[in-house]
Amino acid sequence: MSDNDSSPGIPDPEGAAGIIDTDYEIGQDNIETSVGPFNLDVHNPVFLVSGLSIVAFVFLTLAFQTEVGPLFDSLRKWLTSSLDWFFIISGNVFVLVCLALIVTPLGKVRIGGKDADPDYTYFGWFAMLFAAGMGIGLMFFGVLEPVYHMAFSEPLGVASPFDADGNLIPENVAAAKAMGMAATIFHWGLHPWAIYAVVALALALFSFNKGLPLTMRSVFYPIFGERTWGWPGHIIDILAVFATLFGLATSLGFGAQQANAGLEFVFGIPVSITAQVILIIGITAVALVSVLRGLDGGVKILSEINMLIAALLLVFVIIAGPTGTLVSSFFSNLGAYAREVIPLSMPFGREDDGFRQGWTSFYWAWWISWSPFVGMFIARVSRGRTVREFVTCVLIIPTIVSVLWMTAFGGTAIEQVLTDSSSQVREYVIASYSPELSLFGMLADLPMASVTSFIAIILVIVFFVTSSDSGSLVIDTITAGGKVDAPMSQRVFWCTFEGLVAIALLIGGGLGALQAMAVSTGFPFTIVLLLACYAIFKGLWDEPR
Amino acid sequence: MFKKLLIPIDLSHADKLEKSISVAAYLAKRDSIPVVFAAVTSAAPGALAHTPEEFRKKLESYSAGQAEKHGITASGHAIFSHDPTADMEHALLTAIHENGADLVVMQTHIPNLSDHVWPSNGGRIATHSDVSVFLVR
């Protein structure tokens, strides 16, 4: 470290934050060069290795589809079914860590130093973390999951309200409804947000308070010491880029298919590869504009617009749906979740393998594989909050919003399924399983279906844009060695690259295979996150409170 | 002729600013006006500093050094942006007004192909600012 003020080196640490004294200077491993007229400032070797291996993986997947697809798929299935106990226990650890941070004096530590002011208002902050975290999933699973769990999953052995012929068994209805909602909220409530909170807090703490670069590797400084800046750190960062890019690109590919299905359902636009490629190009183009406009002028504004449209759709469903039932069931669903969250969190002594391994364990691996991306993004926008405020807001508020969303969308759909045997939701979730149409099926049985379905398609697309733009910023920061002021051309590269990977996989096949691989990265990251919990406590302990 | 001069600088490329600072010092001395060194950065740790306070201090130190070297009155103005890459132009335009500067002297590169896609910061400041802008190549 240099203390010579006339050089660009980092001067001696100062201020009311427990800055880590390391010889590493942010950007010291970066290569600053120009490719044609475009400037580059990238980390060596993270940028090159992650970029080249992503290209290699895409080519291999396209070339050996018949071999690679089943391989990745069985890897994912093996991990989520054989190691379900590991994912479930880890998920519980993350929730307990977060709760401990709320109630202990460590919660008084402020991210960014004792006198730091919050960078964003509550609304802007919450809109960004929610839009990046799970917005699109709520659109896809908000209707599907409550109905599916009620009718098929039988979580904790609670019987389905339908017999083998699809006839209603009245005495099973109440318990199955409550469990369907509780099980869904379980997957979208405290546990996923605790995963995000752990990653985000660890990154924010080690960057804004300890002065380390804003990349995944920094969290491991208490464990690896100076080796963090060598290959152990390179591998963590490359893995984070991998999980983020493949997670985003495959979701974008599937998202285009879903949006296309919605467009066919509403406007009769036929499902075709051409339409899906156009959708990906459109989403990528809007995301490009957003990243070029930056965090405040693009990502934040789009996230806020997104939240407003989602709120309008939510209010519409509450008013147009069974309003009285929905209002009262918000509290009963919250109660059902509170009652079932501990039994559902138990890794052993259960017989609901299909639900526990196929859904819960899969979800935990999925959330964890997304956590470097969402966590880094949340970290970047959370400076100035205390740890207690941060964890409470990242954990509790999104959980309540998820309960509200699931109650409105899932509750309406469940009422439609139970009261109308010819309802469209019943058709798309129970009779002929078409999950991408479940939301549109629910809206179709409410008034003004063509308007709301169109809004839903727009919302799906905008949610993808908000994931794509924030993801590009995150990948750019990781591959620039934690620099947040890397040249504009780099974020354009990552945003475009993500769209191209999605198009290649959509045309050539392999979306499922690489998504399975992305989810499989949830396993190594679970270990990473458990170590991060230790690092958080160690890091917070040294901070002024 | 002018009342206050502002020089936007990138501290990580301080070695490349000599020409623009010499021009600015010449103009400042001629009109006996103060100079403000404005620098945009992020609150996240970077190559230059761990924290905003460190960055501010470093900029002050740099400004004092330049003032002594060129015999001018100078101060530093640090601007903290959530996204410096995207917000540079807006942050500098705000700084020009906040400081009441009526002349900007700014180092810029020789235009190349990329300027058709992303105009230089200097070019954009000159386009959008309502004060005089002197671009030094």
Side-chain angles (χ1 to χ4, degrees):
Chain A
M1 181 184 302
S2 165
D3 55 5
N4 179 358
D5 275 351
S6 65
S7 84
I10 302 172
D12 287 337
E14 60 181 353
I19 283 177
I20 287 177
D21 194 3
T22 167
D23 287 335
Y24 188 79
E25 284 185 23
I26 296 170
Q28 74 171 40
D29 293 330
N30 281 25
I31 297 174
E32 285 190 59
T33 183
S34 298
V35 176
F38 301 109
N39 298 323
L40 286 181
D41 183 356
V42 294
H43 186 277
N44 176 36
V46 171
F47 182 89
L48 204 61
V49 173
S50 42
L52 288 179
S53 36
I54 286 164
V55 171
F57 260 91
V58 170
F59 273 110
L60 281 175
T61 308
L62 296 180
F64 302 102
Q65 268 184 51
T66 43
E67 295 84 5
V68 170
L71 180 75
F72 286 153
D73 208 38
S74 12
L75 174 68
R76 199 268 300 158
K77 278 187 185 141
W78 180 79
L79 284 172
T80 52
S81 55
S82 305
L83 296 175
D84 57 328
W85 56 273
F86 177 65
F87 286 111
I88 290 174
I89 290 175
S90 304
N92 298 339
V93 169
F94 303 137
V95 174
L96 292 173
V97 164
C98 287
L99 295 177
L101 290 173
I102 293 175
V103 298
T104 60
L106 293 175
K108 285 187 195 160
V109 173
R110 190 173 288 278
I111 298 167
K114 216 169 179 181
D115 303 322
D117 292 321
D119 280 351
Y120 291 97
T121 61
Y122 274 114
F123 181 70
W125 180 49
F126 181 72
M128 281 193 282
L129 67 91
F130 203 78
M134 55 173 54
I136 188 65
L138 288 176
M139 294 299 292
F140 186 66
F141 290 101
V143 167
L144 173 70
E145 223 186 314
V147 176
Y148 193 91
H149 292 330
M150 176 194 73
F152 298 114
S153 300
E154 304 196 345
L156 299 173
V158 172
S160 167
F162 299 106
D163 64 18
D165 300 323
N167 301 312
L168 206 62
I169 310 168
E171 61 271 26
N172 287 357
V173 169
K177 259 170 77 174
M179 182 52 84
M181 292 305 300
T184 307
I185 295 164
F186 174 59
H187 292 154
W188 296 85
L190 294 173
H191 285 74
W193 287 100
I195 291 166
Y196 290 159
V198 163
V199 182
L201 181 61
L203 284 163
L205 179 69
F206 283 92
S207 184
F208 291 123
N209 293 55
K210 308 288 181 191
L212 301 184
L214 190 61
T215 74
M216 276 304 285
R217 69 171 77 199
S218 295
V219 176
F220 295 92
Y221 190 83
I223 296 157
F224 293 142
E226 292 298 316
R227 278 176 301 158
T228 307
W229 316 121
W231 273 102
H234 298 339
I235 291 168
I236 290 168
D237 279 354
I238 290 166
L239 206 58
V241 174
F242 239 67
T244 305
L245 194 116
F246 280 130
L248 283 170
T250 53
S251 298
L252 188 57
F254 282 126
Q257 290 177 343
Q258 287 153 17
N260 197 182
L263 285 169
E264 185 185 41
F265 185 79
V266 182
F267 299 111
I269 295 171
V271 170
S272 69
I273 292 284
T274 314
Q276 290 159 15
V277 170
I278 290 170
L279 275 166
I280 292 178
I281 292 172
I283 289 170
T284 306
V286 182
L288 261 179
V289 173
S290 178
V291 291
L292 286 174
R293 287 182 57 87
L295 205 50
D296 291 357
V299 181
K300 177 170 154 274
I301 290 177
L302 215 52
S303 298
E304 287 176 346
I305 292 172
N306 213 347
M307 281 298 109
L308 286 173
I309 303 175
L312 283 177
L313 193 63
L314 179 70
V315 169
F316 169 81
V317 171
I318 293 171
I319 293 171
T323 311
T325 312
L326 294 181
V327 172
S328 62
S329 57
F330 171 77
F331 296 100
S332 58
N333 289 339
L334 205 56
Y337 174 53
R339 198 171 55 244
E340 304 296 350
V341 66
I342 293 175
L344 287 169
S345 306
M346 289 297 149
F348 304 112
R350 290 165 60 176
E351 286 169 7
D352 54 356
D353 287 1
F355 173 78
R356 196 178 71 257
Q357 296 171 349
W359 287 87
T360 306
S361 170
F362 172 79
Y363 261 124
W364 279 201
W366 186 19
W367 297 131
I368 291 167
S369 72
W370 275 80
S371 66
F373 149 47
V374 182
M376 254 194 76
F377 185 68
I378 296 176
R380 186 161 170 188
V381 298
S382 300
R383 188 178 167 276
R385 307 278 172 197
T386 65
V387 168
R388 182 168 296 132
E389 189 182 11
F390 172 87
V391 178
T392 307
C393 288
V394 174
L395 204 63
I396 309 295
I397 297 177
T399 300
I400 291 171
V401 173
S402 294
V403 175
L404 187 60
W405 187 275
M406 293 302 177
T407 299
F409 284 69
T412 302
I414 285 176
E415 285 303 311
Q416 290 172 344
V417 167
L418 293 175
T419 54
D420 179 5
S421 59
S422 60
S423 69
Q424 301 209 37
V425 178
R426 189 166 175 152
E427 171 66 22
Y428 296 131
V429 180
I430 296 174
S432 61
Y433 188 62
S434 311
E436 70 278 10
L437 291 177
S438 56
L439 170 67
F440 300 106
M442 185 274 283
L443 292 173
D445 285 337
L446 295 178
M448 298 197 292
S450 54
V451 178
T452 54
S453 296
F454 178 66
I455 291 173
I457 293 171
I458 296 289
L459 207 47
V460 168
I461 291 171
V462 181
F463 268 127
F464 271 112
V465 174
T466 53
S467 292
S468 180
D469 58 10
S470 40
S472 304
L473 287 181
V474 164
I475 297 178
D476 180 33
T477 306
I478 299 175
T479 54
K483 277 188 163 184
V484 295
D485 57 353
M488 192 63 92
S489 43
Q490 282 169 221
R491 58 177 79 169
V492 170
F493 167 76
W494 285 114
C495 193
T496 314
F497 192 49
E498 179 200 315
L500 288 175
V501 170
I503 290 172
L505 294 172
L506 185 72
I507 295 173
L511 277 172
L514 280 181
Q515 192 174 53
M517 197 206 67
V519 172
S520 302
T521 61
F523 175 64
F525 271 119
T526 308
I527 300 167
V528 165
L529 261 62
L530 288 169
L531 294 171
C533 292
Y534 162 74
I536 287 176
F537 282 111
K538 194 166 188 303
L540 283 175
W541 196 254
D542 301 333
E543 284 295 307
R545 291 188 281 279
Chain B
M1 190 183 288
F2 295 104
K3 290 181 191 133
K4 202 175 207 179
L5 193 156
L6 184 138
I7 315 177
I9 57 164
D10 178 353
L11 273 184
S12 57
H13 294 114
D15 53 321
K16 294 176 183 165
L17 299 170
E18 211 161 296
K19 202 169 169 186
S20 60
I21 292 175
S22 298
V23 170
Y26 172 77
L27 292 170
K29 275 198 280 196
R30 199 201 62 175
D31 283 5
S32 303
I33 56 171
V35 172
V36 178
F37 287 93
V40 184
T41 189
S42 158
L48 288 158
H50 291 104
T51 64
E53 290 69 34
E54 280 180 16
F55 187 84
R56 209 174 269 130
K57 208 175 168 195
K58 189 152 201 172
L59 180 61
E60 280 301 337
S61 162
Y62 179 82
S63 308
Q66 293 300 321
E68 196 182 329
K69 184 176 171 188
H70 294 281
I72 52 174
T73 310
S75 59
H77 180 84
I79 307 151
F80 298 99
S81 157
H82 298 144
D83 189 355
T85 307
D87 297 340
M88 182 71 72
E89 174 200 336
H90 175 72
L92 288 176
L93 288 171
T94 310
I96 291 167
H97 275 276
E98 277 179 6
N99 285 282
D102 53 355
L103 173 62
V104 176
V105 175
M106 194 168 176
Q107 188 84 36
T108 187
H109 60 258
I110 296 164
N112 59 29
L113 194 63
S114 69
D115 287 86
H116 293 284
V117 188
W118 294 300
S120 65
N121 290 316
R124 284 198 284 190
I125 296 293
T127 308
H128 297 292
S129 176
D130 54 4
V131 303
S132 300
V133 179
F134 188 154
L135 297 182
V136 181
R137 296 215 159 97

